[in-house]
Amino acid sequence: MQEILVVEDEKAIRSMINFSLSRAGYSVIEAPDVKSAKNQIDKKIPDLVLIDWMLPDESGLELAKSLKKDELTKNIGVIMLTAKAEERDKIAGFNSGADDYVTKPFSQNELIARIKALLRRTSYVDSEVLKSGRISIDLRSMRVLIDDKEVHFGPKEFKLLEHFIVNDGRVFSRSQLLDQVWGRSVYVEERTVDVHIRRLRSSLEQYGLSELIQTVRGSGYRFSHTGDD
Ligand code: CA
């Protein structure tokens, strides 16, 4: 099921959007401000984010820009919601962050039509697929399928899974994983690796695949299909 994050501080609008998107078959996550939106995205990469322009903590446009700047989130479709009065002055700004915008008040049908169109553009273009047993990863759209069903991972878990699949059977120390998956641009403690490995395993566990990520005592972690077809 495709997942849409709705970032909107007005509860009535947020609930209304949630209602119609759920009815249209999407899985909806709500966030009332930029901070909680970032937390949500950190846990799970959505397929698309709807962002209200005016949010209580930061501007919605700043959120859109930061998503488009980050390698891990830049392929997520972004639609801005804006009030009529803001439209003319600010359209230029949309170009730097958003893929599309919808002006309030909008009809639910219009919103859903825009979402469908954007998902078509962001989901299926130039896919590059990596396969390992029951798991396939679309590197471009950052979608993971297990048994042909989409499974959502956080951006770090996605990168870890990709790294492990590319290097099937190799053992990596925590410090190697930090270098190769996180990059050394930010200081992260080695136990952070364990936290993300645990999350990755628990997502895989639902499909009986947690054994794919093996702890190698004294060395680190390995992804291996040994004992699995
Ligand atoms: Ca608002």
Side-chain angles (χ1 to χ4, degrees), residues 7-10 13 32 52-56 81 86 104:
V7 193
E8 163 66 79
D9 54 321
E10 278 170 75
I13 299 178
D52 183 34
W53 181 284
M54 300 293 281
L55 291 165
L81 301 176
E86 297 159 342
K104 291 177 181 177

Side-chain angles (χ1 to χ4, degrees), residues 84-100:
K84 190 84 193 156
E86 297 159 342
E87 187 180 20
R88 293 240 151 62
D89 312 336
K90 293 180 174 171
I91 275 173
F94 288 130
N95 298 330
S96 53
D99 298 295
D100 199 359

Side-chain angles (χ1 to χ4, degrees), residues 122-156:
T122 53
S123 306
Y124 303 108
V125 196
D126 295 331
S127 66
E128 196 186 323
V129 177
L130 195 64
K131 269 185 172 282
S132 177
R134 293 157 57 197
I135 307 174
S136 38
I137 298 187
D138 186 327
L139 296 175
R140 197 177 173 285
S141 65
M142 299 186 68
R143 290 150 71 92
V144 179
L145 302 180
I146 298 180
D147 301 334
D148 294 323
K149 186 175 175 293
E150 186 172 2
V151 182
H152 289 266
F153 290 90
K156 287 291 183 294

Side-chain angles (χ1 to χ4, degrees), residues 68-209:
K68 292 296 172 185
K69 253 191 278 172
D70 189 334
E71 193 61 32
L72 294 170
T73 53
K74 69 175 188 192
N75 292 323
I76 302 174
V78 174
I79 296 179
M80 294 292 301
L81 301 176
T82 175
K84 190 84 193 156
E86 297 159 342
E87 187 180 20
R88 293 240 151 62
D89 312 336
K90 293 180 174 171
I91 275 173
F94 288 130
N95 298 330
S96 53
D99 298 295
D100 199 359
Y101 67 94
V102 173
T103 306
K104 291 177 181 177
F106 49 85
S107 78
Q108 300 298 304
N109 286 342
E110 184 197 356
L111 181 63
I112 288 168
R114 298 288 192 89
I115 287 172
K116 277 188 184 156
L118 183 54
L119 284 172
R120 267 198 303 273
R121 262 157 49 206
T122 53
S123 306
Y124 303 108
V125 196
D126 295 331
S127 66
E128 196 186 323
V129 177
L130 195 64
K131 269 185 172 282
S132 177
R134 293 157 57 197
I135 307 174
S136 38
I137 298 187
D138 186 327
L139 296 175
R140 197 177 173 285
S141 65
M142 299 186 68
R143 290 150 71 92
V144 179
L145 302 180
I146 298 180
D147 301 334
D148 294 323
K149 186 175 175 293
E150 186 172 2
V151 182
H152 289 266
F153 290 90
K156 287 291 183 294
E157 288 73 44
F158 178 90
K159 276 305 215 194
L160 269 173
L161 184 61
E162 177 192 345
H163 188 70
F164 277 133
I165 287 179
V166 169
N167 298 286
D168 194 336
R170 273 184 63 189
V171 179
F172 292 98
S173 69
R174 289 170 180 79
S175 120
Q176 283 172 323
L177 289 173
L178 280 179
D179 272 347
Q180 293 160 20
V181 175
W182 273 255
R184 278 293 181 181
S185 53
V186 277
Y187 179 75
V188 188
E189 288 184 62
E190 291 200 354
R191 64 164 180 246
T192 303
V193 174
D194 301 328
V195 172
H196 289 277
I197 292 276
R198 216 175 301 136
R199 283 192 202 158
L200 180 56
R201 272 186 180 142
S202 94
S203 300
L204 291 172
E205 192 157 30
Q206 301 163 41
Y207 300 88
L209 294 172

